[in-house]
Structure formats: C-alpha cells, structure tokens
Amino acid sequence: MKTALLLAAVGGLLGGLALYFSGRPDLASTVWLVGVLPVLGALLVEILRSLWCGEIGLDIVAALSMSAALLFGETLAAAVVALMYSGGTFLESFAEGRARREMRDLLARVPRTATRHQNGSLEEVPLDDIMPGDRLLIRQGDVVPVDGTVASASAFLDTSALTGESLPIRAQNGGDAMSGSTNAGEAFDLVATRPAKDSTYAGIVRLVEEAQRSKAPMSRLADRWSLGFLLVTVAIAFAAWWFTGDPIRAVAVLVVATPCPLILAVPVALVAGLSRAAHFGVLIKGAGPLEAMARTQTLILDKTGTLTDGRPQIVTIDSHDGTDPDEVLRLAAGLDQATKHPVAQAIVAAARERGLSLPVPTNVAEAPGEGLTGQVDARSVVVGGHGFVTGRVGEAAVEHPALAAGSVLVAVGVDGRLAGHLVMADPLREGTHDMLARLRRQGIGRILLATGDRQEVAERVTEGLGLNGIRAGLTPDQKVLLVLTERKRGPVMMVGDGVNDAPALAAADVGVAMGARGAAASAEAADVVLLVDRVDRLAPGIEIARGARRIALESVVAGIGLSVMGMVAAALGYLTPVQGALIQEAIDVAVILNALRALRISPAETWSPRSTATGHQPTLLQGNQT
C-alpha cells in the first residue's frame, strides 16, 4: 500500500512537471491533483482510524497542508507534500525494517523439521513431533532444532546469531547444545531434552514477537507532544494569515510542519536499539523496557547463578596418600556418574573438561545426602562427606584446614584408605569487578546484592566489589519488598536466574533474567533476557539502551527545532509552500538517518569468548594443588 501511494505521488508530480514545462500548466495542475488525491484519501482514512482509537497525531497536519494547498490553487505544493508524506512513511518503514534486521534474522532461522533416528533409519519429522529422549542427527550447517545434549564425541557449534560470540564453541559428549545454534563442524547426534515449544529458541522467538508489538512510553509521550505541536502549528499558520491577509503563508507554514520528525525519530531509534542489543545477546522485550533500562539508577543483583556461576567448581584437590590429584578426580568422577546430585555432576564435568577418561562404575550404592560407594576400574571407591567416607574406609577422621564460608568438602576413599579431598565452591564470575566499575561509569549510582544465602557467604563472595549494600537471608517476598523500597529512589533493575527471583523481577522497573540456564519462570517475568550465561552482558546492554534513547531525543529536539524555524520563516514570507515542503523533506530524511545511528552503537568494551576449546562455559578448575 505504501509503495503504491509513493508511486502515485511520484507519477503525479513528475507527470505534472513534464506538462508544465511543455507549456500545458492547466493540464499539469490536473495531473498534480490526481497524484495527490489517493495519498490524501489514504491519509484521511488513517486519521479517522486513529481518532476512533482515541489517538491524535501529526498526520492531521499533513492532511491540512494538502487540503489547504489544493483549496488555494497551490497544486504543485500539494503534490510535493503528497510525495513528501508518502515518501516519509515509506522511508520510515524501510528504516524500521533495517532496524529490526537482527530480530528478523533470528526469526528467519527457525527450523521447520528435524532428522530423527528411528528403528535403525533416519526420518524427517516436523519439529512439533520431537519429544525428550529422541535422538536427532544434526548435519553440518543445520540449525539445532531443540535443546539437547551432545550424544557424539563432540560438536562444534556457532552461537553467534544468539549470543554475539564471534567464535564457534566445542561441546563435548554430554554437553548442552542450545537450540538456535548452528552446527559449524561435522554431523553429530543430539538427544533432545525438551520439546520444541519449550526450547530456548522457541522462547526467544516468542520474546522477539512481543518486542516487535511493543510501544515505548517515550513513543506514547511523543504522541501526546504531537497534540501540542499540532496546536502550535495551526496557531502560527492562522496568525500568518490573520496579520498579512495572505493565505499562501498559512499554507507554507502547514507544509513546513508536515510530517513532524517527532513521529519518525522515536520508534526508529528505539527499534534500532532493540536490534543492536539483540546482536550482543541481550534480548529486550520491547521499546518500553529499553527506555526504562536507559533510565536505571539502582541495580539489584542476585548471587547464586548471577554474580556466581551457580554451579560448584573445584577449587583445590588435596591428595593424602601420594595418589596423583588427577587420579583422585578421575575415580571420584567415575563413581559420581551414577548420581544426579549437583555436586557430583560438577565433579564429572570438571573431569571431562580435563580430558580424563571416565569408566562405567559398578555395584553402586547411594546413601542419599551422604555419598556413594561402588567399583571403578575394579577398585573400591567411596565419595561423599568427610565423615561418611572416613567411616566407610575405617580411618579416624582427619582434620582438614578450615574452609572459607560457602565452600564444600568432598572426601574420596580408594581401596580402604582416604585418598584425598576435593574442595568446591561457587566462585564469583570472572570479570565481575570490571563490569560493576563500568556500570558505575554509565551512571548506575547504587548496586546492591540480594540473596537468600547466609550473610557470611555473601560477604565472602562479594569482598572487594564495593557494593552499596548486601541483603542476605532474603525470602522471595523480602526481595520484592527490597525492590519496592529502592524504587522510591529511582528506576530499579533487578537481575536473577531462579524461580524465587521471578516475583522481584516482575516488581522491578526492569527485570533481567539469565536466560541461558535460568529458570523459565524468571525468563517469563523478566523484561530483558541475557541469551548468553554471562552477567557482564548487562554493561553493553545498558550502554546501547542509553545510546538509543539519547539518539531518539537528539533527533526529536533537532527535528522540532528546525521545523519551528521553518514555520517562522514561512510565516514571515521567506518560504513558499513548495520550498517549505522541500525543506521539511530534507529535515525528515536527516532525522531518520540520525535515528538509524543507533544501529552502529558500539559498546566501549565488547566481550569476546575467552575459550572455545572446552565448551560454552569457561572452566574455573584449579586443581593439581596438593
């Protein structure tokens, strides 16, 4: 429709000009009129539709200027305004399409089918038919259709479309593969862990669609400003006519004010900001959250899974009988394959990251909450709490140096003797200090920790971060109360990853969820989802949000200022209607091009992956300490 109106306006203007210069001004005026009428008719329909919805916009000025120009015989000016209006709306659509490119790329990559292993053969099945436990073949170049675990020796995955990571990552056997990533290596098998509709990529697509339908408070404010600008425009036009008796001056004033940059700059700049943030793995659910993100003054951070990785990591491996530390880890991990306990799974992951070969355990017996016993490589192995292991191997309890708050001690017994200890902790994420310093430079005045963990654990983990406050031992409703209290100081951003964080995320001005591994409830309640499991993506996200909002305001102020100057000049008789239309068109183009600068916002310190050899998450294992 917009293309057809633009073609009608262009054809009418050029056809009329050709007739005018060939000595047929009367016929030229008729052709200009024919080119204007479709645009004016479509515009009137749009105005009526808006009024029916209770909205008043600056399209009314465009309709007034075209109608007034036709009424007073300025058909050329009306034709230029018609071209200007249709061209402006077409340019706005093009600019928004350009701004949504990153989001559109995400949507375009949704696979429709998958290749499933079935009874010794391969079959192509619709995505909705895939169920947890299905074994899929992911060919080279295929997009991973559902969340799953790698069932082959390894997989080489390109996650750049989701997270902005420029280099592919290698996922080992048993490692997670996120739907939406692309197989950049040889074909591999994947065991589905979720149906397609519940997978990461399906959730991202839903969030993108919600974001595309959203409207920012700033855009709604621009609509309200439109009414004021409309009154100012009509007042200047009426005054010019009243004091000079020349209606053409009033026409020129209306033409210069059409259409206003106010209705073009804000949506283009904010949508460009959404698109740019998505490129860096920060999915913002709409222009409203983006604007709120730009105004954030207080940041509240959850601890486990946000400031920390959320999964225990081995800090040291202590050997007591001369056994090699890697052997202590290998035997413990071999036995721990038989349980789903989070600490046991962390030990298994650490062993695999070191490239240790894990044999299949036998004769396994588990004492829930205490530990495991079993055979590994024909050796009797016991893994668990210190008291549990020393009791099983028949040794007196050996004193171990005092542990830091929040650390966990795992004992390992081999063939009737205490072989060693694994000291585990949930450490602070790497780069947290730099991220918080960068956020303060961006204007975040208060940074608080909100955690359900003990006070001493929270203080140990955050030591040296310079937080403005630590609130420990909080229940979910107490986190909500903290958010509501801090909102009295200014806009609040809350970051979390668990189900218990969802109420606080919903209560904050901006809720941010760790989407890569976070709970679905927190992702649904949040306004922003970090697609890569790194809280330091907050810094570029906020920088982009503030940059997009600043560009939108710059465009509005500059555009409105130039339009008002043009209206004054037209009222004083310095601009004809045709000249005013050409000047306003130049202003509109400049405003839209300026708004598109949001697509080129480059965060000062762009993150890059530190390691691509062992998988998505960097290892924090610091073993071989005896």
Side-chain angles (χ1 to χ4, degrees), residues 367-424:
E370 296 187 76
L372 294 168
T373 61
Q375 299 286 320
V376 179
D377 278 349
R379 305 182 72 178
S380 177
V381 179
V382 186
V383 180
H386 183 73
F388 174 78
V389 173
T390 54
R392 291 303 177 98
V393 299
E395 291 188 8
V398 178
E399 289 295 326
H400 190 277
L403 299 177
S407 297
V408 175
L409 184 68
V410 178
V412 183
V414 180
D415 293 335
R417 66 185 188 280
L418 184 64
H421 287 98
L422 308 178
V423 179
M424 307 189 72

Side-chain angles (χ1 to χ4, degrees), residues 285 496-499 501-502 505 512-514 518-527 529:
K285 292 186 181 180
D497 80 319
V499 173
D501 296 319
L505 295 180
V512 181
M514 306 291 291
S522 61
E524 290 295 328
D527 303 296
V529 177

Side-chain angles (χ1 to χ4, degrees), residues 57-400:
L58 287 171
D59 287 348
I60 294 176
V61 179
L64 285 175
S65 63
M66 277 187 273
S67 300
L70 293 176
L71 180 64
F72 292 102
E74 293 286 339
T75 51
L76 175 57
V80 174
V81 172
L83 175 61
M84 179 181 64
Y85 177 77
S86 58
T89 55
F90 180 83
L91 181 59
E92 181 187 12
S93 298
F94 173 79
E96 285 208 33
R98 173 74 173 82
R100 295 183 190 273
R101 183 180 60 182
E102 302 290 346
M103 293 185 176
R104 190 171 61 249
D105 288 347
L106 281 174
L107 297 176
R109 300 179 70 257
V110 178
R112 305 300 177 193
T113 61
T115 305
R116 181 172 63 187
H117 290 275
Q118 188 73 24
N119 300 324
S121 62
L122 295 173
E123 60 176 355
E124 200 76 12
V125 296
L127 216 56
D128 291 339
D129 289 353
I130 299 174
M131 301 301 295
D134 285 350
R135 190 181 184 95
L136 309 176
L137 174 66
I138 312 299
R139 300 183 180 90
Q140 186 174 24
D142 282 355
V143 174
V144 177
V146 296
D147 293 343
T149 58
V150 177
S152 300
S154 65
F156 206 46
L157 299 173
D158 177 4
T159 62
S160 59
L162 298 175
T163 65
E165 298 178 15
S166 58
L167 298 176
I169 61 171
R170 185 174 295 281
Q172 303 294 343
N173 180 272
D176 293 332
M178 185 166 60
S179 56
S181 52
T182 302
N183 181 11
E186 297 178 355
F188 68 92
D189 284 350
L190 178 89
V191 175
T193 55
R194 294 179 183 175
K197 63 183 180 64
D198 296 330
S199 288
T200 301
Y201 200 62
I204 291 171
V205 169
R206 285 195 297 271
L207 296 181
V208 169
E209 291 171 342
E210 290 174 12
Q212 289 180 333
R213 291 192 297 267
S214 72
K215 191 172 188 180
M218 190 174 177
S219 294
R220 291 192 290 270
L221 180 61
D223 292 338
R224 291 196 294 271
W225 288 349
S226 297
L227 179 59
F229 190 82
L230 172 62
L231 296 176
V232 170
T233 300
V234 173
I236 293 176
F238 182 77
W241 188 0
W242 177 267
F243 288 108
T244 66
D246 184 4
I248 302 303
R249 291 196 183 189
V251 174
V253 170
L254 293 174
V255 166
V256 171
T258 311
C260 179
L262 192 63
I263 61 176
L264 300 176
V266 173
V268 170
L270 296 185
V271 170
L274 293 177
S275 181
R276 188 62 175 160
H279 177 75
F280 286 91
V282 182
L283 186 59
I284 304 174
K285 292 186 181 180
L290 180 130
E291 189 186 345
M293 196 174 181
R295 295 185 293 106
T296 296
Q297 297 178 17
T298 299
L299 175 65
I300 300 176
L301 295 162
D302 175 48
K303 180 181 74 70
T304 305
T306 302
L307 273 185
T308 66
D309 185 64
R311 293 174 292 190
Q313 305 283 334
I314 294 178
V315 179
T316 60
I317 303 176
D318 300 328
S319 175
H320 297 302
D321 63 351
T323 304
D324 182 77
D326 274 356
E327 182 65 8
V328 173
L329 175 60
R330 188 184 76 87
L331 293 173
L335 183 59
D336 277 341
Q337 293 176 100
T339 178
K340 287 294 185 181
H341 191 281
V343 172
Q345 290 302 299
I347 292 173
V348 172
R352 286 175 172 161
E353 287 175 353
R354 283 198 168 189
L356 302 179
S357 175
L358 302 183
V360 177
T362 57
N363 302 323
V364 178
E366 181 172 1
E370 296 187 76
L372 294 168
T373 61
Q375 299 286 320
V376 179
D377 278 349
R379 305 182 72 178
S380 177
V381 179
V382 186
V383 180
H386 183 73
F388 174 78
V389 173
T390 54
R392 291 303 177 98
V393 299
E395 291 188 8
V398 178
E399 289 295 326
H400 190 277

Side-chain angles (χ1 to χ4, degrees), residues 513-582:
M514 306 291 291
R517 285 192 295 114
S522 61
E524 290 295 328
D527 303 296
V528 179
V529 177
L530 304 182
L531 298 182
V532 62
D533 192 33
R534 294 182 58 89
V535 72
D536 58 7
R537 285 299 176 90
L538 271 180
I542 292 176
E543 188 171 340
I544 290 169
R546 293 194 167 177
R549 186 173 186 270
R550 183 183 64 252
I551 288 171
L553 288 173
E554 289 172 354
S555 298
V556 167
V557 171
I560 294 297
L562 291 172
S563 293
V564 170
M565 291 172 59
M567 285 191 290
V568 172
L572 295 175
Y574 292 111
L575 292 177
T576 66
V578 174
Q579 291 171 336
L582 294 175

